[in-house]
């Protein structure tokens, strides 16, 4: 019995160590991706002035999309949609069909829609996870014990 407990303890420590290493590696990758994104964004701002808008929007959009994919974001598709909307607006701005204020409004609207859809997805995942937990809990037998005047169920 003591031997099994000792083996279980050792295995728990080893497996816990694996999780720590994985978390460290993920944090290291995320940090490297953030630095790469920051450098790409700085390059876009220096290399492409505000006008014309298309090259700058494309550069920033590519940097965002690459960053999202590097960190494994589940919202990379939303970033692609937003980038497409921003590029269309940049083309309209460069052609003189919209004003800079309208361009900024389109970007703000695209960002808000991206955030809304991303939040809806997170909420849907949370609701699904809660439903699975409820189904599992409902499938488990309930045992009650009476001790004196109190009843404990688990």
């Amino acid at each position: 019995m003591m031997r099994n407990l000792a083996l279980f303890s050792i295995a728990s420590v080893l497996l816990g160590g694996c999780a720590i290493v994985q978390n460290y590696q993920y944090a290291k990758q995320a940090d490297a991706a953030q630095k790469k994104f920051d450098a790409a964004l700085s390059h876009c701002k220096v290399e492409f002035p505000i006008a014309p808008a298309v090259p700058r929007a494309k550069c920033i959009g590519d940097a965002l999309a690459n960053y999202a994919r590097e960190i494994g974001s589940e919202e990379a598709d939303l970033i692609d949609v937003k980038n497409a909307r921003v590029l269309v607006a940049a083309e309209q701005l460069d052609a003189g069909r919209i004003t800079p204020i309208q361009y900024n409004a389109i970007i703000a609207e695209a960002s808000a829609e991206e955030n809304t859809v991303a939040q809806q997805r997170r909420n849907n995942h949370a609701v699904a996870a809660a439903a699975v937990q409820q189904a599992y809990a409902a499938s488990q037998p309930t045992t009650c014990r009476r001790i004196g005047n109190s009843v404990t169920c688990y």
Side-chain angles (χ1 to χ4, degrees), residues 136-143 154:
Y136 176 75
S139 71
Q140 298 302 306
T142 302
T143 302
Y154 49 93

Side-chain angles (χ1 to χ4, degrees), residues 82-105:
K82 176 186 168 189
N83 287 343
R85 289 178 68 186
V86 170
L87 277 174
V88 168
E91 287 177 349
Q92 291 175 343
L93 178 65
D94 288 346
R97 285 179 268 168
I98 62 173
T99 67
I101 292 173
Q102 290 170 318
Y103 175 71
N104 289 335

Side-chain angles (χ1 to χ4, degrees), residues 26-78:
Y26 176 76
K28 195 173 173 182
Q29 289 171 342
D31 187 48
Q34 181 68 49
K35 287 178 182 173
K36 190 175 176 182
F37 170 70
D38 291 342
L41 198 56
S42 293
H43 166 77
C44 293
K45 290 178 179 180
V46 169
E47 192 69 26
F48 302 104
I50 293 175
V54 170
R56 183 180 173 110
K58 179 154 180 32
C59 185
I60 292 172
D62 289 347
L64 280 168
N66 290 337
Y67 175 72
R69 284 174 179 71
E70 282 186 36
I71 64 168
S73 174
E74 295 179 6
E75 298 159 6
D77 62 322
L78 299 178

